[in-house]
Amino acid sequence: MHFNPSIVIKISGKFFDEDGSRNISSLRDVVKNLSSSFRVAIVSGGGSNARKYISMGRDLNLSESYLDLLGIWASRLNANLIAFALGDIAYPVVPDSLEDFIEKWSSGKVVVTGGFQPGQSTAAVAALVAEATNSSTLIVATNVDGVYDKDPKVYKDAVMLKELTINKLKEILENSQSVKAGTYELLDPMAMKIIQRSRIKVIVMNYRYISSLSDLIKDNKNIGSTVIPE
Amino acid sequence: MHFNPSIVIKISGKFFDEDGSRNISSLRDVVKNLSSSFRVAIVSGGGSNARKYISMGRDLNLSESYLDLLGIWASRLNANLIAFALGDIAYPVVPDSLEDFIEKWSSGKVVVTGGFQPGQSTAAVAALVAEATNSSTLIVATNVDGVYDKDPKVYKDAVMLKELTINKLKEILENSQSVKAGTYELLDPMAMKIIQRSRIKVIVMNYRYISSLSDLIKDNKNIGSTVIPE
Amino acid sequence: MHFNPSIVIKISGKFFDEDGSRNISSLRDVVKNLSSSFRVAIVSGGGSNARKYISMGRDLNLSESYLDLLGIWASRLNANLIAFALGDIAYPVVPDSLEDFIEKWSSGKVVVTGGFQPGQSTAAVAALVAEATNSSTLIVATNVDGVYDKDPKVYKDAVMLKELTINKLKEILENSQSVKAGTYELLDPMAMKIIQRSRIKVIVMNYRYISSLSDLIKDNKNIGSTVIPE
Amino acid sequence: MHFNPSIVIKISGKFFDEDGSRNISSLRDVVKNLSSSFRVAIVSGGGSNARKYISMGRDLNLSESYLDLLGIWASRLNANLIAFALGDIAYPVVPDSLEDFIEKWSSGKVVVTGGFQPGQSTAAVAALVAEATNSSTLIVATNVDGVYDKDPKVYKDAVMLKELTINKLKEILENSQSVKAGTYELLDPMAMKIIQRSRIKVIVMNYRYISSLSDLIKDNKNIGSTVIPE
Amino acid sequence: MHFNPSIVIKISGKFFDEDGSRNISSLRDVVKNLSSSFRVAIVSGGGSNARKYISMGRDLNLSESYLDLLGIWASRLNANLIAFALGDIAYPVVPDSLEDFIEKWSSGKVVVTGGFQPGQSTAAVAALVAEATNSSTLIVATNVDGVYDKDPKVYKDAVMLKELTINKLKEILENSQSVKAGTYELLDPMAMKIIQRSRIKVIVMNYRYISSLSDLIKDNKNIGSTVIPE
Amino acid sequence: MHFNPSIVIKISGKFFDEDGSRNISSLRDVVKNLSSSFRVAIVSGGGSNARKYISMGRDLNLSESYLDLLGIWASRLNANLIAFALGDIAYPVVPDSLEDFIEKWSSGKVVVTGGFQPGQSTAAVAALVAEATNSSTLIVATNVDGVYDKDPKVYKDAVMLKELTINKLKEILENSQSVKAGTYELLDPMAMKIIQRSRIKVIVMNYRYISSLSDLIKDNKNIGSTVIPE
């Protein structure tokens, strides 16, 4: 028996907020292409829908855990939409924990997840999923082109880094208030810890280039920033 | 042992689209008040969020069943928000079928549900829930004041009916193209069938008056239209 | 990856009441034959066993929803028996909702279901299953040979219709009190709605000819009545 | 906090085969009466319905485990009917294992079960349930009046024993081919083992006297045979 | 479609107590080898960990059923470790009942289980699993070399039996107090009953020779004692 | 309706390793006493049993996520033992995620949990549980008397701090390599984040004084170190 190597794709919630169906359509094409030579797991963020429900929940004085759960369920709605769009190659039910993910992953299908638990980002979910599937690479598709040495919106001379170590990334995140929230979400402390302990390579890229993902993975095409788990 | 009588409140998805948290806050006050003398079940629609996901799914060529499921999951997100807002008096998990509802209902708590199944409206869900809980009354809180003999947006002389039989309602719905979609959703064929076979009284009211619901139920205050299951 | 087209077979509960094991044995042979070129879903009715439990429940004053649930559980017992008879080609657990069906269906196996929910017939279940599996054809195996223009037990000159539109069928069912209950169950309003919105072809046939089902499907052999979703 | 003592009632499947709804109605009255001072668990057999499905399964060459499962599901249908008949005092879902029973039992409601697992009788289920609920007494309601020293259908001089030790019962069961199957089912080896290790008293009685059960339990009224776990 | 024959391997809990990871590593090699031509199910005992928790539970006055459950959960921890060690060829979740086993078994993967239910040994679980999978052989890997005619620790002239009937085994177990507990656990009354009714051959062997298991099964190599279900 | 305030008790896994049943017995007495005026949640660590299985898993080259899962399951075994020891006042099933915890917590019973997810400590679980239950206090019962300004095993002049801010605690943990692992586990980064965002007071105490817990909570008795979420 031969088993394909695994890869994890983390999709920002913003992916669904504008041109959602077109974005998903591109993702579908890429994943169908990839799934002949890779096992693919997808982790979806919550986006504006998550923020809307969290905001209503905050008005109603819910605890932080409950607000996080509203965001998690919104992210699962996004995950469900991707799973349905993928059709027969995807597992049609979204897991609600890593244990549940592991069971569904054993089906051999693409598995799409949203959030797992309050107190952590979907980036941490993606790191957990990458670790549990023995994936050597985690793709983070978000709305920035990569990781910059400074906030590109503040500093004209900010430079996108083609490659950086995870410790360099930590330093950038800690030393700079102005770093983009979106980038920070990419790797919260739990995500960092998991990426380091299991030495997972992270590639941060803009989801506008999602249709190039297959080239990126198969041919090592040069897109976004690569974070090395030194 | 004494058991309180049961009542079912169907909330239109539009309830969440504008002033959502204020609407839910009013609902919370009413349900807390009611729950000392009634067992309360709440059924929530999907609203604009459901339509957004259904629209994306349609762009992606999903089957009608899958589109309905996206709408159902959106309605469950609304139901979850209500359940959390109600706090300890509510069951904190939203059921996904009538069988599941019956189990959660046995907890003695308020149970909040969204949709159950493709191919039926949340009005049908509300009718099923009313039947399973032996409720004699189903409140339908929507964005119209009641049932009109003609479409009030088209006919200046349209009259809101304080009371009508279910057969009269059928007649209005069948003979008029121009009846509001919102009103029609109120009672799809499955909802009609269940309401008739179990003789459930339906009160259609505007959710703007939700804070009067307690008066309506306890003191028979005159709000909306009453549909008699003759 | 290639995926076989799907087909749904609805089995009347009467199938189990007389010569049950012989009928199931024939069904097993047909499904084993079909499953090399089709994905097969089977929906089973409740039969006399459902009626027995519903009758006891009615004596005990249970609500209509609870009576329906007794019938649903009886139909699931029938479905379990079929699933076990099919052995390794079938999923060995009977789903209890469409969402559950979709998950089990993703296994690639034959999935056998009974009823899903109170307030609807197993014909509606079959229509939902056909829609969710993108099946273009739904076979209804019952104890009549097909759809007649009039009740054949009342009118000597009743004619079985080889082909009819779904609107013609509605007309027959609505204009005639005397139409057979068995035929009516075939297409309750929810089943009609789903068949129409997803344009599913329905073939009504006698389960006595179940062993010809493979010929019917593969070679378009002329059996029963075909209802066209015009 | 005060907790009522627990009691377990095992109902023979024959209970449902003739005058089923009247029998259940009597049981309902007794259990409602008992449930003010006892926590009550009920275990139901499968009866003729179980035998019908097992027979069909045997015609279809299913393995013994699968045949047992068909019988278990039939017994659960009986259990469901009892649970529904009891209404709000009963947990509305039938557990499918002892672990599941323990969870549902924690609700404080009457819990009704059918079979748990292939390879054991529902008497063994009843013994497990009695042990897990710390019940000192297990009532076995069947279609004989009690335990006889010899088969009363064969020997005119057979005597019903008001009281006997469990070892005496074993002796009767082992030394006599002609002992009634119904009596044997009462205590298969697993049931015996559990009753002995947890010192549970067993009362064998005719379900025709079910309406006297409350007197039997509360006032020690003299019915049936008592098996002492010496 | 071709389906491989099935085989069940029962692993004593002692397997994990000393050189656990080395033992599991050997088992992994054997099962990987076997799984190209057999479907494999594995049943694991609880070992010293089970005894530790049962002992604490007994100090705390838990009922026998609850003590058994602690042992069952300990055995499931062992089963989980085996399942994880096997990687992609195994189902990654341990079933908790025979019904659950049957569902997971339908995945086509190796399924690893611990205990199912209080009141029975993991040997009974293994017999049930063998019956449900239509396995003709059940391997019992324990810490003795096979079945002896007398207790080898007491009698110098005890002889290991290469082959014996199940009735001979019963006789040995019943007539001798001094038979090893480990051997007795091998076949408690429920296990015996199932093995007999479904005519399953049992091979008792020392788990020290686990790496020869593949030879034993494929080439009929002469290891341990064979119990014939005559 | 009145609802008691909630409190969370985190029990170190070492609690079970020596005098386990005596420790649990003391905990049982305290929780029974507390549960008349508080809702109590308990979170249990994994202890030596977790380390044993993690070590075997590491020998077998399992991924970090899978090793964490083995530890989580070991902690759940501890949690199960506590839940069973508590009897009727506790929910008899251990939840496996925060969502599951919330559902079980709605039963009104004491709920006992082990770990939830790989990548986080059971301290993070305890913080999540405290947040979700709106508990203002989290008790951490471990094998040290409290938080010291330096490692007491290295520095003779180490002083136990009666009260410190969470930022002071962070500083101690970061600036000192020699801080005890046990103390660090107390508050991993996720736990810190949750404690801060929801302003939960943490009391670190030695589980040897568990029988004084009731005094501590009700009378503010002076035990251990209090960490203020400033």
Side-chain angles (χ1 to χ4, degrees):
Chain A
M1 243 175 301
H2 167 75
F3 293 100
N4 282 329
S6 302
I7 195 158
V8 180
I9 305 170
K10 157 86 175 61
I11 300 290
S12 164
K14 299 174 198 77
F15 191 77
F16 301 86
D17 292 342
E18 204 181 315
D19 291 323
S21 47
R22 212 177 54 189
N23 288 336
I24 296 169
S25 182
S26 300
L27 179 64
R28 169 164 60 185
D29 292 343
V30 163
V31 172
K32 285 196 170 167
N33 183 313
L34 281 173
S35 66
S36 60
S37 39
F38 289 90
R39 295 236 26 220
V40 182
I42 300 172
V43 179
S44 171
S48 64
N49 201 23
R51 282 190 299 279
K52 174 186 157 193
Y53 280 87
I54 289 171
S55 162
M56 285 199 283
R58 205 176 291 284
D59 290 347
L60 292 158
N61 288 314
L62 301 187
S63 77
E64 292 293 320
S65 283
Y66 282 61
L67 298 179
D68 278 1
L69 281 172
L70 292 171
I72 286 168
W73 292 329
S75 69
R76 288 181 190 158
L77 190 46
N78 288 338
N80 268 307
L81 180 56
I82 294 177
F84 276 3
L86 288 171
D88 284 338
I89 63 167
Y91 198 87
V93 181
V94 167
D96 57 19
S97 67
L98 188 71
E99 289 178 76
D100 192 15
F101 171 85
I102 288 170
E103 182 163 16
K104 290 175 170 45
W105 182 251
S106 80
S107 67
K109 303 238 172 186
V110 176
V111 179
V112 191
T113 86
F116 281 164
Q117 193 198 57
Q120 70 195 20
S121 66
T122 43
V125 170
L128 284 165
V129 163
E131 190 180 66
T133 57
N134 289 315
S135 298
S136 56
T137 305
L138 164 59
I139 307 291
V140 178
T142 182
N143 66 336
V144 291
D145 285 352
V147 179
Y148 289 81
D149 63 345
K150 299 180 261 196
D151 186 341
K153 291 203 176 148
V154 177
Y155 300 97
K156 294 273 189 214
D157 62 338
V159 175
M160 198 186 97
L161 304 168
K162 278 292 169 197
E163 196 172 296
L164 68 164
T165 66
I166 195 161
N167 285 323
K168 175 69 183 170
L169 177 61
K170 273 190 190 172
E171 193 190 302
I172 294 174
L173 295 173
E174 279 164 14
N175 294 345
S176 161
Q177 287 285 41
S178 58
V179 100
K180 281 191 65 67
T183 311
Y184 177 75
E185 277 169 20
L186 162 71
L187 293 177
D188 70 354
M190 181 187 271
M192 295 263 196
K193 173 180 151 194
I194 291 161
I195 282 161
Q196 284 192 300
R197 77 177 186 184
S198 290
R199 302 190 55 70
I200 298 158
K201 187 173 75 180
V202 178
I203 298 172
V204 182
M205 62 172 281
N206 198 315
Y207 57 67
R208 282 190 297 141
Y209 308 130
I210 197 79
S211 52
S212 308
L213 190 58
S214 182
D215 302 332
L216 167 68
I217 293 167
K218 291 182 175 167
D219 310 331
N220 252 318
K221 202 186 150 189
N222 204 341
I223 301 176
S225 301
T226 299
V227 184
I228 305 295
E230 65 172 11
Chain B
M1 244 175 301
H2 168 73
F3 293 99
N4 282 330
S6 302
I7 195 159
V8 180
I9 305 169
K10 159 85 173 61
I11 300 291
S12 164
K14 298 173 198 78
F15 191 77
F16 301 86
D17 292 343
E18 204 181 315
D19 292 322
S21 46
R22 212 177 54 190
N23 288 337
I24 296 169
S25 182
S26 300
L27 179 64
R28 168 165 60 186
D29 293 343
V30 163
V31 172
K32 284 195 171 169
N33 183 313
L34 280 172
S35 67
S36 58
S37 38
F38 288 90
R39 295 242 18 226
V40 182
I42 300 172
V43 179
S44 171
S48 63
N49 202 24
R51 282 191 298 279
K52 174 186 157 195
Y53 279 86
I54 289 170
S55 162
M56 285 198 284
R58 205 175 290 284
D59 289 347
L60 291 157
N61 288 315
L62 302 187
S63 78
E64 293 293 321
S65 282
Y66 282 62
L67 297 179
D68 279 1
L69 280 173
L70 291 171
I72 285 168
W73 293 328
S75 70
R76 287 180 191 159
L77 191 46
N78 289 338
N80 268 306
L81 180 56
I82 295 177
F84 276 3
L86 288 172
D88 284 337
I89 63 167
Y91 198 86
V93 181
V94 167
D96 57 17
S97 67
L98 188 71
E99 289 178 75
D100 193 14
F101 171 85
I102 288 170
E103 181 163 16
K104 290 175 170 46
W105 181 252
S106 80
S107 67
K109 304 236 171 187
V110 175
V111 178
V112 192
T113 86
F116 280 164
Q117 192 197 57
Q120 69 195 20
S121 66
T122 44
V125 170
L128 283 166
V129 163
E131 190 179 65
T133 57
N134 288 315
S135 298
S136 56
T137 306
L138 164 58
I139 307 291
V140 177
T142 183
N143 64 338
V144 292
D145 285 351
V147 179
Y148 290 80
D149 62 347
K150 298 180 263 197
D151 185 342
K153 291 202 174 146
V154 177
Y155 300 97
K156 293 274 189 217
D157 62 339
V159 175
M160 198 187 97
L161 304 168
K162 278 292 168 200
E163 197 173 295
L164 67 164
T165 66
I166 196 162
N167 285 324
K168 176 67 181 170
L169 176 60
K170 275 189 188 173
E171 192 189 301
I172 294 174
L173 295 173
E174 280 164 14
N175 293 345
S176 160
Q177 286 286 43
S178 59
V179 100
K180 279 190 67 63
T183 311
Y184 177 75
E185 278 168 17
L186 163 71
L187 293 177
D188 71 354
M190 181 188 271
M192 294 262 197
K193 172 180 151 193
I194 292 162
I195 282 161
Q196 283 192 300
R197 78 179 186 182
S198 289
R199 302 189 54 71
I200 298 159
K201 186 174 73 180
V202 178
I203 299 172
V204 181
M205 61 172 282
N206 198 315
Y207 58 66
R208 282 191 297 141
Y209 308 130
I210 197 79
S211 51
S212 309
L213 190 58
S214 181
D215 301 333
L216 167 68
I217 293 167
K218 291 184 176 167
D219 309 329
N220 252 318
K221 202 186 150 191
N222 204 341
I223 300 176
S225 301
T226 300
V227 184
I228 306 295
E230 68 171 6
Chain C
M1 243 174 301
H2 168 75
F3 293 99
N4 282 330
S6 302
I7 195 159
V8 180
I9 306 169
K10 158 84 174 62
I11 300 291
S12 163
K14 298 172 198 78
F15 191 76
F16 301 86
D17 293 342
E18 203 180 317
D19 292 322
S21 46
R22 213 178 53 190
N23 287 337
I24 296 168
S25 183
S26 301
L27 179 65
R28 168 164 61 185
D29 293 344
V30 163
V31 173
K32 284 195 171 170
N33 184 313
L34 281 173
S35 65
S36 60
S37 39
F38 288 91
R39 294 235 29 218
V40 182
I42 300 172
V43 179
S44 170
S48 63
N49 201 23
R51 283 191 297 279
K52 175 186 157 196
Y53 279 86
I54 289 170
S55 162
M56 285 199 284
R58 205 176 290 284
D59 291 347
L60 291 157
N61 288 315
L62 301 187
S63 77
E64 292 293 321
S65 282
Y66 281 62
L67 297 178
D68 278 1
L69 280 173
L70 292 171
I72 285 168
W73 293 329
S75 70
R76 288 182 189 158
L77 191 45
N78 289 338
N80 269 307
L81 181 56
I82 295 177
F84 277 3
L86 288 171
D88 284 338
I89 63 166
Y91 198 86
V93 181
V94 167
D96 56 19
S97 67
L98 188 71
E99 289 178 74
D100 193 15
F101 171 85
I102 288 171
E103 182 163 16
K104 290 175 170 46
W105 181 251
S106 80
S107 68
K109 304 237 172 186
V110 176
V111 179
V112 191
T113 87
F116 281 164
Q117 191 198 56
Q120 70 195 21
S121 66
T122 44
V125 170
L128 282 165
V129 163
E131 189 180 65
T133 57
N134 288 315
S135 298
S136 56
T137 306
L138 164 59
I139 307 292
V140 178
T142 183
N143 66 336
V144 293
D145 284 352
V147 180
Y148 289 81
D149 63 346
K150 299 181 262 196
D151 185 342
K153 291 202 174 147
V154 177
Y155 300 96
K156 292 274 190 215
D157 62 341
V159 175
M160 198 187 97
L161 305 168
K162 278 293 169 196
E163 196 173 296
L164 68 164
T165 66
I166 195 162
N167 285 324
K168 175 70 182 170
L169 177 60
K170 274 189 190 172
E171 191 191 303
I172 294 174
L173 294 174
E174 279 164 14
N175 293 346
S176 160
Q177 286 286 41
S178 59
V179 98
K180 281 192 65 67
T183 311
Y184 177 74
E185 278 169 19
L186 163 70
L187 292 178
D188 71 354
M190 182 188 271
M192 294 263 196
K193 172 179 151 194
I194 292 162
I195 283 160
Q196 284 191 299
R197 76 178 187 183
S198 289
R199 303 188 54 72
I200 298 158
K201 187 175 73 179
V202 178
I203 299 172
V204 182
M205 61 172 282
N206 198 317
Y207 59 67
R208 282 191 299 141
Y209 307 130
I210 197 77
S211 51
S212 309
L213 189 58
S214 181
D215 301 333
L216 167 67
I217 293 167
K218 291 183 176 168
D219 309 331
N220 252 320
K221 202 186 151 189
N222 205 341
I223 300 176
S225 301
T226 299
V227 183
I228 306 294
E230 65 171 10
Chain D
M1 245 175 300
H2 167 74
F3 292 99
N4 283 330
S6 301
I7 196 159
V8 180
I9 305 169
K10 158 85 174 61
I11 301 290
S12 164
K14 298 172 198 79
F15 191 77
F16 301 85
D17 293 342
E18 203 180 316
D19 292 323
S21 47
R22 211 177 55 190
N23 288 336
I24 296 169
S25 182
S26 300
L27 179 64
R28 168 164 60 185
D29 293 344
V30 163
V31 172
K32 285 195 171 170
N33 183 313
L34 280 172
S35 66
S36 59
S37 38
F38 287 91
R39 296 244 15 227
V40 182
I42 300 172
V43 179
S44 171
S48 64
N49 201 24
R51 283 191 298 279
K52 174 185 157 195
Y53 279 87
I54 289 170
S55 162
M56 285 198 283
R58 205 175 289 284
D59 290 347
L60 291 157
N61 288 314
L62 301 188
S63 76
E64 292 293 321
S65 283
Y66 281 62
L67 297 178
D68 278 1
L69 280 172
L70 292 171
I72 285 168
W73 293 328
S75 70
R76 287 181 190 159
L77 191 46
N78 289 338
N80 268 308
L81 181 56
I82 295 177
F84 276 2
L86 288 171
D88 285 337
I89 63 166
Y91 199 86
V93 181
V94 167
D96 57 18
S97 67
L98 188 69
E99 290 179 74
D100 193 15
F101 171 85
I102 287 171
E103 181 163 17
K104 290 175 169 47
W105 181 251
S106 80
S107 68
K109 305 236 172 187
V110 175
V111 179
V112 192
T113 87
F116 281 163
Q117 191 198 57
Q120 69 195 19
S121 66
T122 44
V125 171
L128 283 166
V129 163
E131 190 180 65
T133 57
N134 288 314
S135 299
S136 56
T137 305
L138 165 58
I139 307 292
V140 177
T142 183
N143 66 336
V144 292
D145 285 352
V147 180
Y148 288 80
D149 63 345
K150 298 180 263 196
D151 185 342
K153 292 203 174 146
V154 178
Y155 300 96
K156 294 275 189 212
D157 62 340
V159 174
M160 197 186 96
L161 305 168
K162 278 293 168 198
E163 197 172 296
L164 68 162
T165 65
I166 194 161
N167 285 323
K168 175 69 181 170
L169 177 60
K170 275 189 190 174
E171 192 189 301
I172 293 174
L173 295 174
E174 278 164 14
N175 293 344
S176 160
Q177 286 286 41
S178 59
V179 98
K180 282 189 64 64
T183 311
Y184 177 74
E185 277 169 19
L186 163 70
L187 293 177
D188 71 355
M190 181 187 273
M192 294 264 197
K193 172 180 151 193
I194 292 162
I195 282 161
Q196 284 192 299
R197 78 178 186 182
S198 290
R199 303 188 55 72
I200 298 158
K201 187 174 74 180
V202 178
I203 299 172
V204 182
M205 61 172 283
N206 198 316
Y207 58 66
R208 282 190 298 140
Y209 308 130
I210 197 78
S211 51
S212 309
L213 189 57
S214 180
D215 302 334
L216 167 67
I217 292 168
K218 291 184 176 167
D219 310 329
N220 252 317
K221 202 186 150 190
N222 205 342
I223 301 176
S225 301
T226 300
V227 183
I228 306 294
E230 68 171 10
Chain E
M1 244 174 302
H2 167 74
F3 293 99
N4 283 329
S6 302
I7 194 160
V8 180
I9 306 169
K10 158 87 173 62
I11 300 290
S12 163
K14 298 173 198 77
F15 191 77
F16 301 86
D17 292 343
E18 204 180 316
D19 292 323
S21 46
R22 214 178 53 190
N23 288 337
I24 296 169
S25 183
S26 300
L27 179 64
R28 168 164 60 186
D29 293 343
V30 163
V31 173
K32 285 195 171 169
N33 184 313
L34 281 172
S35 65
S36 59
S37 39
F38 288 90
R39 294 238 24 220
V40 182
I42 301 172
V43 179
S44 171
S48 64
N49 201 24
R51 283 191 297 278
K52 174 186 156 194
Y53 279 87
I54 289 170
S55 162
M56 285 199 284
R58 204 175 291 285
D59 290 347
L60 292 158
N61 287 314
L62 301 187
S63 77
E64 292 294 320
S65 283
Y66 281 62
L67 297 179
D68 278 1
L69 280 173
L70 292 171
I72 286 168
W73 292 329
S75 70
R76 288 180 190 159
L77 191 46
N78 289 338
N80 269 307
L81 180 56
I82 295 176
F84 276 3
L86 288 170
D88 284 339
I89 63 168
Y91 198 85
V93 181
V94 167
D96 57 18
S97 68
L98 188 70
E99 289 178 75
D100 192 15
F101 171 84
I102 288 170
E103 181 163 16
K104 290 175 170 45
W105 182 251
S106 80
S107 67
K109 304 237 170 186
V110 175
V111 179
V112 192
T113 87
F116 281 164
Q117 192 196 60
Q120 70 195 20
S121 66
T122 43
V125 170
L128 283 166
V129 163
E131 190 179 67
T133 57
N134 289 314
S135 298
S136 56
T137 305
L138 164 60
I139 307 292
V140 177
T142 182
N143 66 337
V144 293
D145 285 352
V147 180
Y148 289 80
D149 62 346
K150 298 180 263 196
D151 184 341
K153 291 200 174 150
V154 177
Y155 300 96
K156 293 276 189 213
D157 62 341
V159 175
M160 198 187 95
L161 305 168
K162 278 294 169 197
E163 198 172 295
L164 67 165
T165 66
I166 195 162
N167 285 324
K168 176 67 182 172
L169 177 61
K170 275 189 189 173
E171 192 189 302
I172 294 174
L173 295 174
E174 279 164 13
N175 293 346
S176 161
Q177 287 284 43
S178 60
V179 100
K180 278 192 67 67
T183 310
Y184 177 74
E185 278 168 19
L186 164 71
L187 293 177
D188 71 355
M190 181 187 272
M192 294 262 196
K193 171 180 151 193
I194 292 162
I195 282 160
Q196 284 192 301
R197 78 179 185 182
S198 290
R199 303 190 53 73
I200 298 158
K201 186 175 74 178
V202 178
I203 299 173
V204 182
M205 62 172 282
N206 198 315
Y207 58 67
R208 281 190 299 141
Y209 308 129
I210 197 78
S211 51
S212 310
L213 190 58
S214 181
D215 301 333
L216 167 68
I217 293 167
K218 292 183 175 168
D219 310 330
N220 252 317
K221 202 185 150 190
N222 204 341
I223 300 176
S225 301
T226 300
V227 184
I228 306 294
E230 67 169 8
Chain F
M1 243 174 301
H2 167 75
F3 292 99
N4 283 329
S6 301
I7 195 159
V8 180
I9 305 169
K10 157 84 174 60
I11 300 291
S12 163
K14 298 173 199 79
F15 191 77
F16 301 86
D17 293 341
E18 204 180 315
D19 291 324
S21 47
R22 212 178 54 190
N23 288 337
I24 296 169
S25 182
S26 300
L27 179 64
R28 168 164 60 186
D29 293 343
V30 163
V31 172
K32 285 196 170 167
N33 183 313
L34 280 173
S35 66
S36 59
S37 37
F38 288 90
R39 296 242 17 224
V40 182
I42 299 172
V43 179
S44 171
S48 64
N49 201 24
R51 282 190 298 279
K52 175 186 156 194
Y53 279 86
I54 288 170
S55 162
M56 284 198 284
R58 204 175 290 284
D59 290 347
L60 292 157
N61 288 314
L62 301 187
S63 77
E64 293 293 320
S65 282
Y66 282 61
L67 297 179
D68 278 2
L69 280 172
L70 292 171
I72 286 168
W73 293 328
S75 70
R76 288 181 189 158
L77 191 46
N78 288 337
N80 269 307
L81 181 56
I82 294 177
F84 276 4
L86 288 171
D88 285 337
I89 62 166
Y91 199 86
V93 181
V94 167
D96 57 18
S97 67
L98 188 71
E99 289 179 74
D100 193 15
F101 170 84
I102 288 171
E103 181 163 18
K104 291 175 170 45
W105 181 252
S106 81
S107 67
K109 304 237 172 185
V110 175
V111 178
V112 192
T113 85
F116 280 164
Q117 192 198 58
Q120 70 195 19
S121 65
T122 44
V125 170
L128 283 166
V129 163
E131 189 179 67
T133 57
N134 289 314
S135 299
S136 56
T137 306
L138 163 58
I139 307 291
V140 177
T142 183
N143 65 337
V144 292
D145 285 352
V147 180
Y148 289 81
D149 62 346
K150 299 181 262 196
D151 184 341
K153 290 202 174 146
V154 177
Y155 301 96
K156 294 276 188 209
D157 61 340
V159 175
M160 197 187 98
L161 304 168
K162 278 293 169 198
E163 196 172 296
L164 68 163
T165 65
I166 195 162
N167 284 324
K168 175 68 182 171
L169 177 61
K170 273 189 190 173
E171 192 189 302
I172 294 174
L173 295 174
E174 280 164 13
N175 293 344
S176 160
Q177 287 286 40
S178 58
V179 100
K180 281 190 65 65
T183 311
Y184 178 75
E185 277 169 20
L186 163 72
L187 293 177
D188 70 354
M190 180 186 273
M192 293 263 196
K193 173 180 152 192
I194 291 162
I195 282 161
Q196 283 191 299
R197 77 178 186 183
S198 290
R199 303 188 55 71
I200 297 159
K201 187 174 73 181
V202 177
I203 298 172
V204 182
M205 61 171 283
N206 198 315
Y207 59 67
R208 282 190 298 140
Y209 308 130
I210 197 79
S211 51
S212 308
L213 189 59
S214 182
D215 302 333
L216 168 67
I217 292 167
K218 290 183 175 167
D219 309 329
N220 253 315
K221 202 186 150 189
N222 204 340
I223 300 175
S225 300
T226 300
V227 184
I228 306 295
E230 67 171 8

